[in-house]
């Protein structure tokens, strides 16, 4: 397990940037405009609810660094379960981990996914670099397309494996941009595509959380039989509001997260 949080997040960011060139450009754009460091609100990770890679196995890497479990979230239509984790230091990024409830999917998908997971060496799941180690199985393009037709989530995870699905700019920490609509306007002016599913702004001040995201970059993925350009990862933006007790809300809003998942739809 990693000895410190900063080392882990640097490695996660490096891996994420490699398949999300737009995030690099947006980060540089914001860094040039702002008088302060760009703060990451949270990352998200995806997995299957199968041993040895279920949600808890991924979470163990963060628990070892002092994180604690937060809220639970259910996405019935997408057949997903998720939980978020927080560090005692509120300046340390939060982590949102979801898993596909494989047993709720078709027999065909269950067979394919079990075949992928069976190729993972269980010891690798505990390795320092597992959370940014990518794909651990052979996958041909037609199998990817087959999974994608039933579950976009399953197709994405099969293609990209273990890595941050997104990083998130904390709007609360920016100097010159103070709202989600403002950052969306800037993104569109610069030619980036904003996820419009359910509206470009997800959530509200009443929810204590507003979010938006780019649509995933389209980059080349290597399959066992061919290379293909497919959606990779995206960049998210979040503004948190104080709760009745005056503390900033630190959880997530399931209805908003449901739409954010669609940032990887092609």
């Amino acid at each position: 397990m990693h000895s410190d949080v900063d080392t882990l997040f640097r490695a996660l960011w490096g891996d994420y940037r490699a398949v999300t060139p737009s995030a690099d450009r947006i980060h540089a754009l914001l860094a040039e405009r702002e008088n302060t460091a760009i703060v990451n609100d949270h990352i998200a990770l995806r997995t299957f609810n199968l041993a040895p890679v279920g949600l808890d196995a991924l979470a163990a890497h963060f628990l070892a660094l002092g994180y604690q479990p937060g809220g639970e979230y259910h996405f019935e239509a997408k057949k997903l379960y998720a939980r978020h984790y927080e560090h005692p230091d509120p300046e340390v990024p939060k982590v949102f981990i979801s898993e596909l409830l494989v047993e709720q999917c078709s027999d065909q998908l269950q067979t394919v996914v079990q075949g992928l997971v069976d190729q993972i060496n269980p010891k690798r799941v505990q390795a320092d670099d597992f959370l940014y180690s990518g794909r651990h199985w052979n996958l041909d393009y037609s199998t990817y397309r087959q999974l994608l037709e039933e579950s976009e989530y399953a197709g994405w995870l099969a293609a990209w494996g273990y890595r941050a699905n997104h990083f998130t700019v904390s709007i609360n920490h920016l100097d010159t941009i103070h709202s989600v609509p403002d950052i969306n306007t800037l993104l569109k002016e610069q030619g980036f595509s904003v996820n419009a599913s359910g509206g470009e702004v997800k959530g509200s001040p009443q929810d204590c959380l507003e979010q938006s995201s780019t649509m995933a970059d389209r980059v080349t993925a290597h399959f066992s039989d061919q290379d293909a350009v497919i959606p990779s990862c995206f960049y998210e933006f979040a503004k948190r509001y104080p709760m009745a007790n005056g503390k900033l809300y630190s959880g997530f809003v399931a209805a908003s997260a449901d739409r954010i998942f669609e940032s990887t739809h092609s």
Side-chain angles (χ1 to χ4, degrees), residues 138-174:
N138 290 315
L139 180 72
D140 61 50
Y141 184 69
S142 64
T143 302
Y144 161 71
R145 295 294 309 181
Q146 174 193 333
L147 290 171
L148 200 62
E149 281 181 27
E150 179 173 345
S151 166
E152 187 279 331
Y153 184 104
W156 187 94
L157 180 52
W160 294 109
Y162 293 93
R163 52 173 28 103
N165 169 262
H166 62 269
F167 272 67
T168 308
V169 172
S170 169
I171 295 175
N172 298 73
H173 288 82
L174 297 178

Side-chain angles (χ1 to χ4, degrees), residues 179-199:
S179 74
V180 174
D182 284 352
I183 204 152
N184 289 347
T185 298
L186 175 65
L187 292 169
K188 290 186 289 185
E189 284 172 353
Q190 296 294 322
F192 297 101
S193 296
V194 174
N195 175 349
S197 176

Side-chain angles (χ1 to χ4, degrees), residues 42-171:
H42 70 273
I43 63 161
L45 298 163
R46 296 181 176 187
T47 193
F48 300 113
N49 70 333
L50 301 174
V53 291
L55 187 155
D56 288 339
L58 273 59
H61 289 265
F62 297 99
L63 296 175
L65 294 170
Y67 277 78
Q68 294 156 358
E72 297 181 83
Y73 311 89
H74 301 271
F75 306 92
E76 290 178 12
K78 292 181 172 66
K79 302 179 172 68
L80 305 175
Y81 167 76
R83 198 183 301 136
H84 89 267
Y85 294 82
E86 298 179 34
H87 194 273
D89 179 351
E91 294 298 306
V92 170
K94 287 164 274 294
V95 178
F96 186 94
I97 307 177
S98 57
E99 61 182 4
L100 181 67
L101 305 175
V102 178
E103 72 282 358
Q104 294 184 13
C105 300
S106 69
D107 290 348
Q108 193 175 28
L109 183 144
Q110 289 183 49
T111 301
V112 170
V113 169
Q114 188 65 62
L116 301 180
V117 172
D118 284 345
Q119 296 174 55
I120 299 174
N121 177 346
K123 288 184 179 174
R124 282 290 285 117
V125 181
Q126 298 164 24
D128 273 4
D129 67 348
F130 182 73
L131 298 175
Y132 48 92
S133 60
R135 195 166 76 210
H136 289 256
W137 42 72
N138 290 315
L139 180 72
D140 61 50
Y141 184 69
S142 64
T143 302
Y144 161 71
R145 295 294 309 181
Q146 174 193 333
L147 290 171
L148 200 62
E149 281 181 27
E150 179 173 345
S151 166
E152 187 279 331
Y153 184 104
W156 187 94
L157 180 52
W160 294 109
Y162 293 93
R163 52 173 28 103
N165 169 262
H166 62 269
F167 272 67
T168 308
V169 172
S170 169
I171 295 175

